[in-house]
Amino acid sequence: MTTVLGLSAYYHDSAAALVEDGVIVAAAQEERFSRRKHDARFPGQAVRFCLESRGIHLTDVNQVVFYDKPLVKFERLLETYLAYAPRGFRSFVAAMPVWLQDKLYLKKTLKRELAALAGVKEQALPPLLFTEHHQAHAASAFYPSPFEKAAVLCLDGVGEWATTSAWLGAGRRLEALWQIDFPHSLGLLYSAFTYYTGFRVNSGEYKLMGLAPYGEPRYVDVILERLLDLKADGTFRLNMDYFNYCTGLTMTNGRFHDLFGGPPRTPETPITRHHMDIAASIQKVTEEVVLRLGRTLRAETGAEHLCLAGGVALNCVANGELLRAGVFEDIWVQPAAGDAGGALGAALVVWHEVHDGSHQPIAGDAMAGAYLGPRFSTTEAAQRLEAMGAVAEAIDDAELLPLVATLLADGAVVGWFQGPMEFGPRALGGRSILGDPRSPRMQSVMNLKIKYRESFRPFAPAVLAERAGEWFELDRASPYMLFVAPVAAARRLPPEEDAAGLFGIDRLKVPRSTIPAVTHVDFSARVQTVHEHTNPRFYRLLEAFEARTGCPVLVNTSFNVRGEPIVGSPEDAYRCFMRTEIDYLVVEGLLLAKTDQPPLEGDETWREELEPD
């Protein structure tokens, strides 16, 4: 047995992944254990889970591999400061202590952490290897995909130097084709607009994407004429006169702000039509860049399939546009497309390149539905919940699933905790909050009373895979919510006469389909197809809901509140349940009603523990 442990850490979303003879057997993000969102620290708890889930010790692992080359990244940092000197001195002074005390000596830091975790001397540790950042992304996209051969496109903020990279995967070989280097970055361009519209960089990008359909893309020409030199083949250069991230502590500068008519929006202040138009414009430009790059890769490689990774690959609207353009016969996106997935990619690089491991594509993919994290038996969950004073009733699935379906159909919101935890940013029916998509009130109720988040943000539908084509304009699997598709025309409602004059958030008040809670204002939906072979229990719940209502769709949003990581344990789930207006909680074979629960003592200040995301 050859076992490789992959790690990502020290930037954002640290994670660990375990690969045995090329098979992905465990993966998790540190934030789910530490309860610190986007936790960047050494993923000790994630490593411990991966090892314990297989009953092995760290010394049983053949290699440990880190997803990044810190010395090359430091070289980029120094060259950038030298290129812009004397500008950027403040940023240089801010960054150097972190590098000189920690990141520059990452090998030493990692060995110290691993030795402490395993309780052994550093000499007893497995060999520690390093991959390049985009190499790890590319491997995470290609090797688990269902394709024997595919073009691979990686798009993120920045790795060591690369911000965009193209690859060709064939068999167990993954060949680098070309790359675009820092500071010219589609990910950082999108993050600059995330910052400008008042959202947090590295976590608010999906909010900007969700805001885009409310606006008009009035600034596309401005972006293309002043900020981005976009070539016909999709390659690009940024006009750095408008950005501050090379030399300052912010993403944009005064020239950028003058170009768009004012300073950045302050977080938590009202969102105006201007911000919506800005969001619509950068989203349109991003889609155009991705489409052109896709066409170029198809022409250069001749590959019929495409794999995507990197943070920009989480832009499911752009993914959906590329899919519908028909450039490739099919597209597969790594569900943990951001840095967390780098841990998995790094481990796969070692299996294929160090061990000459074989590559056997699996129908669907090799991610096991992304259900790669911790799971709990009903017995263990009951013990944990009882220790918290929870009142739960054990019910067999034959009775429980129809009962939960009825509760949902009657308008209840249900916390749903079952099976292994998902790897990646999406809740896919393992750690989810569920609701009835037919309810016109469900979106505002879930946003404002349960998630405590911005009212404009849409919710995703989970649908029985075999029924997806009847409800959405989608002709293939989308198990990871990484493709946006229009709601099927037959499910849409005719426009109301007095709706034409509505703008912005007011458009939410107009039901657009028979499943309004998951239909965005432009009739789009971020679809999750649910498959019996990867999540049979969630699949059966959807079947029960369809039997009760005729609708095989549920609202599926992540089981957390704003600023909190998705719940990882039964205790996390119970606390979230008690802090919100969720009506019922299902933990494996247990049903908990809110009305039966005693008050959660000593938890009055929980909001102070969380930072807005």
Side-chain angles (χ1 to χ4, degrees):
M1 176 80 72
T2 299
T3 305
V4 183
L5 175 68
L7 303 177
S8 64
Y10 302 121
Y11 296 96
H12 50 86
D13 297 310
S14 65
L18 198 68
V19 171
E20 292 178 349
D21 284 347
V23 178
I24 304 162
V25 294
Q29 292 126 287
E30 184 70 7
E31 66 164 23
R32 307 294 166 84
F33 305 94
S34 70
R35 312 309 299 154
R36 181 186 293 189
K37 197 161 188 179
H38 304 300
D39 197 340
R41 296 171 295 178
F42 177 78
Q45 296 178 83
V47 170
R48 192 172 291 113
F49 152 70
C50 287
L51 297 174
E52 290 178 356
S53 71
R54 305 303 291 175
I56 62 174
H57 189 268
L58 184 59
T59 51
D60 297 324
V61 170
N62 293 77
Q63 285 94 14
V64 178
V65 55
F66 190 71
Y67 82 131
D68 203 298
K69 292 192 173 180
L71 289 178
V72 182
K73 185 168 281 187
F74 188 64
E75 171 194 277
R76 186 252 297 168
L77 201 68
L78 288 180
E79 287 197 21
T80 301
Y81 285 129
L82 287 172
Y84 286 90
R87 289 190 295 150
F89 182 71
R90 282 183 58 209
S91 172
F92 180 81
V93 168
M96 279 307 103
V98 177
W99 274 93
L100 295 177
Q101 292 174 18
D102 196 0
K103 293 184 178 179
L104 194 56
Y105 306 103
L106 201 56
K107 188 171 186 177
K108 187 176 178 181
T109 302
L110 287 169
K111 284 191 171 183
R112 183 179 68 242
E113 294 280 8
L114 289 165
L117 184 147
V120 300
K121 293 184 177 180
E122 293 183 14
Q123 294 84 346
L125 291 172
L128 177 60
L129 308 178
F130 294 81
T131 67
E132 291 187 358
H133 188 99
H134 270 233
Q135 182 187 22
H137 274 321
S140 77
F142 175 63
Y143 291 123
S145 80
F147 310 134
E148 174 65 26
K149 178 181 178 182
V152 183
L153 181 60
C154 302
L155 296 155
D156 69 356
V158 60
E160 292 86 358
W161 278 101
T163 68
T164 301
S165 64
W167 305 71
L168 179 63
R172 67 178 184 83
R173 286 180 52 80
L174 189 56
E175 177 189 2
L177 300 178
W178 49 261
Q179 67 182 49
I180 298 173
D181 282 350
F182 182 86
H184 308 290
S185 165
L186 183 61
L188 291 177
L189 175 67
Y190 206 88
S191 291
F193 281 93
T194 301
Y195 166 81
Y196 183 72
T197 49
F199 303 118
R200 181 171 289 191
V201 171
N202 285 334
S203 69
E205 282 76 5
Y206 58 96
K207 298 184 185 181
L208 190 66
M209 182 180 69
L211 186 63
Y214 294 98
E216 297 293 331
R218 303 177 193 278
Y219 299 100
V220 167
D221 290 344
V222 174
I223 295 171
L224 292 176
E225 290 170 6
R226 306 294 285 276
L227 301 185
L228 183 72
D229 179 12
L230 178 61
K231 307 298 185 187
D233 63 1
T235 59
F236 54 84
R237 291 181 65 82
L238 299 186
N239 183 348
M240 298 308 298
D241 291 343
Y242 290 89
F243 300 94
N244 206 30
Y245 56 79
C246 285
T247 59
L249 302 176
T250 59
M251 293 300 294
T252 56
N253 60 22
R255 292 189 69 176
F256 186 104
H257 308 158
D258 291 342
L259 189 63
F260 292 101
R265 169 181 165 260
T266 302
E268 310 307 317
T269 58
I271 296 171
T272 67
R273 180 170 189 157
H274 176 65
H275 301 120
M276 296 172 186
D277 291 345
I278 291 280
S281 302
I282 187 58
Q283 179 61 34
K284 191 77 174 175
V285 169
T286 299
E287 292 166 18
E288 182 63 25
V289 175
V290 171
L291 186 59
R292 291 190 191 186
L293 287 172
R295 286 174 174 150
T296 296
L297 263 183
R298 175 65 197 257
E300 287 182 349
T301 65
E304 297 175 343
H305 303 118
L306 176 69
C307 300
L308 293 171
V312 180
L314 295 172
N315 193 312
C316 47
V317 180
N319 297 345
E321 290 293 326
L322 182 59
L323 184 67
R324 284 188 292 280
V327 178
F328 293 92
E329 289 189 8
D330 205 359
I331 299 172
W332 190 83
V333 187
Q334 164 57 238
D339 275 14
L344 172 60
L348 292 171
V349 168
V350 171
W351 165 250
H352 288 95
E353 296 198 0
V354 175
H355 296 284
D356 292 331
S358 61
H359 175 235
Q360 299 292 336
I362 296 174
D365 61 50
M367 290 296 294
Y371 306 110
L372 295 164
R375 70 178 306 165
F376 302 83
S377 68
T378 296
T379 301
E380 183 179 6
Q383 292 169 346
R384 286 168 173 255
L385 292 172
E386 185 179 2
M388 296 184 76
V391 177
E393 182 182 6
I395 307 176
D396 288 340
D397 270 10
E399 181 183 349
L400 177 63
L401 299 183
L403 174 58
V404 174
T406 299
L407 295 172
L408 288 163
D410 290 343
V413 176
V414 176
W416 177 254
F417 183 108
Q418 57 99 40
M421 183 174 71
E422 302 89 338
F423 182 50
R426 305 284 181 247
L428 301 168
R431 307 288 185 272
S432 293
I433 298 173
L434 307 177
D436 185 346
R438 304 168 304 154
S439 166
R441 295 179 54 253
M442 189 56 66
Q443 185 190 26
S444 61
V445 168
M446 293 181 86
N447 265 333
L448 301 178
K449 294 186 177 181
I450 292 170
K451 301 283 283 186
Y452 303 123
R453 69 183 199 181
E454 300 90 340
S455 60
F456 70 85
R457 292 171 61 183
F459 286 109
V463 57
L464 288 172
E466 295 80 2
R467 299 281 190 275
E470 301 168 19
W471 291 79
F472 306 96
E473 294 180 7
L474 183 70
D475 62 356
R476 64 199 72 199
S478 175
Y480 305 119
M481 285 188 194
L482 287 169
F483 294 99
V484 160
V487 172
R491 307 294 177 182
R492 299 183 189 181
L493 300 176
E496 297 178 357
E497 289 185 4
D498 57 350
L502 296 178
F503 179 77
I505 305 301
D506 286 341
R507 294 167 68 190
L508 275 177
K509 300 172 183 173
V510 181
R512 284 178 157 67
S513 77
T514 57
I515 44 174
V518 293
T519 305
H520 208 356
V521 294
D522 59 353
F523 294 101
S524 67
R526 180 161 48 92
V527 182
Q528 178 199 358
T529 55
V530 179
H531 302 259
E532 188 171 17
H533 68 283
T534 54
N535 196 336
R537 197 156 180 261
F538 190 34
Y539 185 92
R540 293 201 301 276
L541 177 64
L542 281 160
E543 284 186 320
F545 188 72
E546 182 185 31
R548 175 72 172 75
T549 67
C551 176
V553 183
L554 284 171
V555 179
N556 178 12
T557 187
S558 55
F559 199 158
N560 62 339
V561 296
R562 184 183 180 190
E564 178 191 30
I566 296 174
V567 301
S569 67
E571 291 92 334
D572 299 335
Y574 186 69
R575 275 188 290 270
C576 188
F577 168 58
M578 292 300 291
R579 290 168 173 175
T580 65
E581 296 189 31
I582 297 174
D583 301 296
Y584 294 89
L585 172 63
V586 176
V587 180
E588 298 300 340
L590 305 169
L591 177 67
L592 297 85
K594 178 66 67 62
T595 52
D596 294 341
Q597 305 307 311
L600 197 59
E601 300 291 345
D603 196 48
E604 295 78 10
T605 60
W606 66 270
R607 288 176 189 264
E608 298 172 11
E609 302 169 10
L610 306 176
E611 293 183 19
D613 57 5

